[in-house]
mmCIF file with all atom_site columns, all heavy atoms in Angstrom:
data_model
loop_
_atom_site.group_PDB
_atom_site.id
_atom_site.type_symbol
_atom_site.label_atom_id
_atom_site.label_alt_id
_atom_site.label_comp_id
_atom_site.label_asym_id
_atom_site.label_entity_id
_atom_site.label_seq_id
_atom_site.pdbx_PDB_ins_code
_atom_site.Cartn_x
_atom_site.Cartn_y
_atom_site.Cartn_z
_atom_site.occupancy
_atom_site.B_iso_or_equiv
_atom_site.pdbx_formal_charge
_atom_site.auth_seq_id
_atom_site.auth_comp_id
_atom_site.auth_asym_id
_atom_site.auth_atom_id
_atom_site.pdbx_PDB_model_num
ATOM 1  N N   . VAL A 1 197 ? -34.249 -26.566 85.295 1.00 95.00 ? 222 VAL A N   1
ATOM 2  C CA  . VAL A 1 197 ? -32.994 -26.516 86.033 1.00 95.00 ? 222 VAL A CA  1
ATOM 3  C C   . VAL A 1 197 ? -31.823 -26.858 85.107 1.00 95.00 ? 222 VAL A C   1
ATOM 4  O O   . VAL A 1 197 ? -31.836 -27.886 84.427 1.00 95.00 ? 222 VAL A O   1
ATOM 5  C CB  . VAL A 1 197 ? -33.015 -27.495 87.229 1.00 95.00 ? 222 VAL A CB  1
ATOM 6  C CG1 . VAL A 1 197 ? -31.690 -27.439 87.985 1.00 95.00 ? 222 VAL A CG1 1
ATOM 7  C CG2 . VAL A 1 197 ? -34.175 -27.146 88.162 1.00 95.00 ? 222 VAL A CG2 1
ATOM 8  N N   . TYR A 1 198 ? -30.831 -25.978 85.102 1.00 94.00 ? 223 TYR A N   1
ATOM 9  C CA  . TYR A 1 198 ? -29.625 -26.165 84.305 1.00 94.00 ? 223 TYR A CA  1
ATOM 10 C C   . TYR A 1 198 ? -28.450 -26.396 85.259 1.00 94.00 ? 223 TYR A C   1
ATOM 11 O O   . TYR A 1 198 ? -28.258 -25.632 86.210 1.00 94.00 ? 223 TYR A O   1
ATOM 12 C CB  . TYR A 1 198 ? -29.359 -24.933 83.442 1.00 94.00 ? 223 TYR A CB  1
ATOM 13 C CG  . TYR A 1 198 ? -30.419 -24.694 82.391 1.00 94.00 ? 223 TYR A CG  1
ATOM 14 C CD1 . TYR A 1 198 ? -31.580 -23.982 82.695 1.00 94.00 ? 223 TYR A CD1 1
ATOM 15 C CD2 . TYR A 1 198 ? -30.277 -25.184 81.097 1.00 94.00 ? 223 TYR A CD2 1
ATOM 16 C CE1 . TYR A 1 198 ? -32.554 -23.756 81.742 1.00 94.00 ? 223 TYR A CE1 1
ATOM 17 C CE2 . TYR A 1 198 ? -31.242 -24.959 80.128 1.00 94.00 ? 223 TYR A CE2 1
ATOM 18 C CZ  . TYR A 1 198 ? -32.384 -24.251 80.459 1.00 94.00 ? 223 TYR A CZ  1
ATOM 19 O OH  . TYR A 1 198 ? -33.352 -24.035 79.516 1.00 94.00 ? 223 TYR A OH  1
ATOM 20 N N   . THR A 1 199 ? -27.658 -27.422 84.996 1.00 92.00 ? 224 THR A N   1
ATOM 21 C CA  . THR A 1 199 ? -26.543 -27.768 85.876 1.00 92.00 ? 224 THR A CA  1
ATOM 22 C C   . THR A 1 199 ? -25.232 -27.837 85.089 1.00 92.00 ? 224 THR A C   1
ATOM 23 O O   . THR A 1 199 ? -25.232 -27.867 83.856 1.00 92.00 ? 224 THR A O   1
ATOM 24 C CB  . THR A 1 199 ? -26.790 -29.122 86.568 1.00 92.00 ? 224 THR A CB  1
ATOM 25 O OG1 . THR A 1 199 ? -26.889 -30.146 85.566 1.00 92.00 ? 224 THR A OG1 1
ATOM 26 C CG2 . THR A 1 199 ? -28.074 -29.088 87.381 1.00 92.00 ? 224 THR A CG2 1
ATOM 27 N N   . CYS A 1 200 ? -24.134 -27.897 85.807 1.00 90.00 ? 225 CYS A N   1
ATOM 28 C CA  . CYS A 1 200 ? -22.802 -27.877 85.209 1.00 90.00 ? 225 CYS A CA  1
ATOM 29 C C   . CYS A 1 200 ? -22.606 -29.032 84.232 1.00 90.00 ? 225 CYS A C   1
ATOM 30 O O   . CYS A 1 200 ? -22.821 -30.198 84.576 1.00 90.00 ? 225 CYS A O   1
ATOM 31 C CB  . CYS A 1 200 ? -21.745 -27.938 86.307 1.00 90.00 ? 225 CYS A CB  1
ATOM 32 S SG  . CYS A 1 200 ? -20.042 -27.967 85.696 1.00 90.00 ? 225 CYS A SG  1
ATOM 33 N N   . ALA A 1 201 ? -22.181 -28.706 83.015 1.00 91.00 ? 226 ALA A N   1
ATOM 34 C CA  . ALA A 1 201 ? -21.952 -29.741 82.006 1.00 91.00 ? 226 ALA A CA  1
ATOM 35 C C   . ALA A 1 201 ? -20.802 -30.664 82.381 1.00 91.00 ? 226 ALA A C   1
ATOM 36 O O   . ALA A 1 201 ? -20.777 -31.836 81.997 1.00 91.00 ? 226 ALA A O   1
ATOM 37 C CB  . ALA A 1 201 ? -21.685 -29.094 80.645 1.00 91.00 ? 226 ALA A CB  1
ATOM 38 N N   . ASP A 1 202 ? -19.858 -30.154 83.162 1.00 89.00 ? 227 ASP A N   1
ATOM 39 C CA  . ASP A 1 202 ? -18.706 -30.960 83.586 1.00 89.00 ? 227 ASP A CA  1
ATOM 40 C C   . ASP A 1 202 ? -18.945 -31.670 84.916 1.00 89.00 ? 227 ASP A C   1
ATOM 41 O O   . ASP A 1 202 ? -18.056 -32.363 85.424 1.00 89.00 ? 227 ASP A O   1
ATOM 42 C CB  . ASP A 1 202 ? -17.458 -30.075 83.706 1.00 89.00 ? 227 ASP A CB  1
ATOM 43 C CG  . ASP A 1 202 ? -16.969 -29.606 82.343 1.00 89.00 ? 227 ASP A CG  1
ATOM 44 O OD1 . ASP A 1 202 ? -17.415 -30.178 81.325 1.00 89.00 ? 227 ASP A OD1 1
ATOM 45 O OD2 . ASP A 1 202 ? -16.153 -28.668 82.298 1.00 89.00 ? 227 ASP A OD2 1
ATOM 46 N N   . ASN A 1 203 ? -20.141 -31.451 85.490 1.00 85.00 ? 228 ASN A N   1
ATOM 47 C CA  . ASN A 1 203 ? -20.495 -32.112 86.751 1.00 85.00 ? 228 ASN A CA  1
ATOM 48 C C   . ASN A 1 203 ? -19.423 -31.895 87.813 1.00 85.00 ? 228 ASN A C   1
ATOM 49 O O   . ASN A 1 203 ? -18.960 -32.830 88.478 1.00 85.00 ? 228 ASN A O   1
ATOM 50 C CB  . ASN A 1 203 ? -20.709 -33.615 86.525 1.00 85.00 ? 228 ASN A CB  1
ATOM 51 C CG  . ASN A 1 203 ? -21.467 -34.269 87.673 1.00 85.00 ? 228 ASN A CG  1
ATOM 52 O OD1 . ASN A 1 203 ? -22.249 -33.615 88.365 1.00 85.00 ? 228 ASN A OD1 1
ATOM 53 N ND2 . ASN A 1 203 ? -21.243 -35.552 87.879 1.00 85.00 ? 228 ASN A ND2 1
ATOM 54 N N   . CYS A 1 204 ? -19.020 -30.655 87.984 1.00 83.00 ? 229 CYS A N   1
ATOM 55 C CA  . CYS A 1 204 ? -17.940 -30.356 88.919 1.00 83.00 ? 229 CYS A CA  1
ATOM 56 C C   . CYS A 1 204 ? -18.408 -30.568 90.364 1.00 83.00 ? 229 CYS A C   1
ATOM 57 O O   . CYS A 1 204 ? -19.595 -30.650 90.645 1.00 83.00 ? 229 CYS A O   1
ATOM 58 C CB  . CYS A 1 204 ? -17.458 -28.914 88.738 1.00 83.00 ? 229 CYS A CB  1
ATOM 59 S SG  . CYS A 1 204 ? -18.665 -27.671 89.244 1.00 83.00 ? 229 CYS A SG  1
ATOM 60 N N   . GLY A 1 205 ? -17.463 -30.645 91.272 1.00 71.00 ? 230 GLY A N   1
ATOM 61 C CA  . GLY A 1 205 ? -17.791 -30.848 92.681 1.00 71.00 ? 230 GLY A CA  1
ATOM 62 C C   . GLY A 1 205 ? -17.644 -32.279 93.124 1.00 71.00 ? 230 GLY A C   1
ATOM 63 O O   . GLY A 1 205 ? -17.511 -32.559 94.307 1.00 71.00 ? 230 GLY A O   1
ATOM 64 N N   . GLY A 1 206 ? -17.689 -33.217 92.178 1.00 58.00 ? 231 GLY A N   1
ATOM 65 C CA  . GLY A 1 206 ? -17.472 -34.618 92.511 1.00 58.00 ? 231 GLY A CA  1
ATOM 66 C C   . GLY A 1 206 ? -18.495 -35.222 93.458 1.00 58.00 ? 231 GLY A C   1
ATOM 67 O O   . GLY A 1 206 ? -18.263 -36.260 94.056 1.00 58.00 ? 231 GLY A O   1
ATOM 68 N N   . GLY A 1 207 ? -19.651 -34.571 93.613 1.00 61.00 ? 232 GLY A N   1
ATOM 69 C CA  . GLY A 1 207 ? -20.689 -35.105 94.485 1.00 61.00 ? 232 GLY A CA  1
ATOM 70 C C   . GLY A 1 207 ? -20.401 -34.943 95.958 1.00 61.00 ? 232 GLY A C   1
ATOM 71 O O   . GLY A 1 207 ? -21.105 -35.508 96.798 1.00 61.00 ? 232 GLY A O   1
ATOM 72 N N   . ASN A 1 208 ? -19.369 -34.177 96.321 1.00 66.00 ? 233 ASN A N   1
ATOM 73 C CA  . ASN A 1 208 ? -18.996 -34.030 97.731 1.00 66.00 ? 233 ASN A CA  1
ATOM 74 C C   . ASN A 1 208 ? -19.667 -32.851 98.416 1.00 66.00 ? 233 ASN A C   1
ATOM 75 O O   . ASN A 1 208 ? -19.594 -32.709 99.624 1.00 66.00 ? 233 ASN A O   1
ATOM 76 C CB  . ASN A 1 208 ? -17.470 -33.876 97.848 1.00 66.00 ? 233 ASN A CB  1
ATOM 77 C CG  . ASN A 1 208 ? -16.739 -35.113 97.358 1.00 66.00 ? 233 ASN A CG  1
ATOM 78 O OD1 . ASN A 1 208 ? -17.220 -36.233 97.551 1.00 66.00 ? 233 ASN A OD1 1
ATOM 79 N ND2 . ASN A 1 208 ? -15.603 -34.910 96.719 1.00 66.00 ? 233 ASN A ND2 1
ATOM 80 N N   . LYS A 1 209 ? -20.299 -31.984 97.631 1.00 73.00 ? 234 LYS A N   1
ATOM 81 C CA  . LYS A 1 209 ? -20.932 -30.812 98.228 1.00 73.00 ? 234 LYS A CA  1
ATOM 82 C C   . LYS A 1 209 ? -22.055 -30.323 97.324 1.00 73.00 ? 234 LYS A C   1
ATOM 83 O O   . LYS A 1 209 ? -22.130 -30.659 96.145 1.00 73.00 ? 234 LYS A O   1
ATOM 84 C CB  . LYS A 1 209 ? -19.904 -29.703 98.419 1.00 73.00 ? 234 LYS A CB  1
ATOM 85 C CG  . LYS A 1 209 ? -19.238 -29.249 97.121 1.00 73.00 ? 234 LYS A CG  1
ATOM 86 C CD  . LYS A 1 209 ? -18.202 -28.172 97.391 1.00 73.00 ? 234 LYS A CD  1
ATOM 87 C CE  . LYS A 1 209 ? -17.528 -27.740 96.097 1.00 73.00 ? 234 LYS A CE  1
ATOM 88 N NZ  . LYS A 1 209 ? -16.528 -26.674 96.340 1.00 73.00 ? 234 LYS A NZ  1
#
Side-chain angles (χ1 to χ4, degrees):
V222 180
Y223 295 86
T224 62
C225 178
D227 290 345
N228 197 27
C229 68
N233 297 324
K234 59 182 179 179

